[in-house]
């Protein structure tokens, strides 16, 4: 397993607005829109057939669910 570290970037205001509008239209969070895009970018940059991307927490609105494994989406 290769751990690269932390990477940050800024989105131009027009693109950020389009991403927010897409999230609203789909009824999902910005995270749920941007994570698949990030994964696709990694696939292209790496030239790989598959890339695994993990997050420490995703979609757990209740504190009682924080120790549960897997992704939650509604």
């Amino acid at each position: 397993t290769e751990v690269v570290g932390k990477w940050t970037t800024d989105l131009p205001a027009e693109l950020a607005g389009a991403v927010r509008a897409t999230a609203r239209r789909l009824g999902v969070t910005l995270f749920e829109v941007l994570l698949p895009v990030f994964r696709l970018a990694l696939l292209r940059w790496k030239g790989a057939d598959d890339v695994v991307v993990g997050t420490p927490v995703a979609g757990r609105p209740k504190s009682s669910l924080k120790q549960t494994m897997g992704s939650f989406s509604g």
Side-chain angles (χ1 to χ4, degrees):
T1 303
E2 182 182 346
V3 177
V4 177
K6 183 177 180 179
W7 175 62
T8 61
T9 188
D10 294 319
L11 293 177
E14 185 177 314
L15 180 56
V19 172
R20 284 188 188 95
T22 298
R24 268 193 308 274
R25 183 173 46 82
L26 296 173
V28 300
T29 66
L30 285 173
F31 180 84
E32 290 173 295
V33 172
L34 292 173
L35 184 62
V37 172
F38 177 64
R39 185 175 177 274
L40 288 171
L42 288 176
L43 285 167
R44 178 174 274 183
W45 292 332
K46 191 79 171 170
D49 293 329
D50 195 21
V51 174
V52 177
V53 177
T55 62
V57 176
R60 289 176 174 69
K62 297 180 182 178
S63 61
S64 62
L65 298 175
K66 288 187 180 188
Q67 297 302 315
T68 306
M69 290 180 61
S71 177
F72 284 63
S73 59

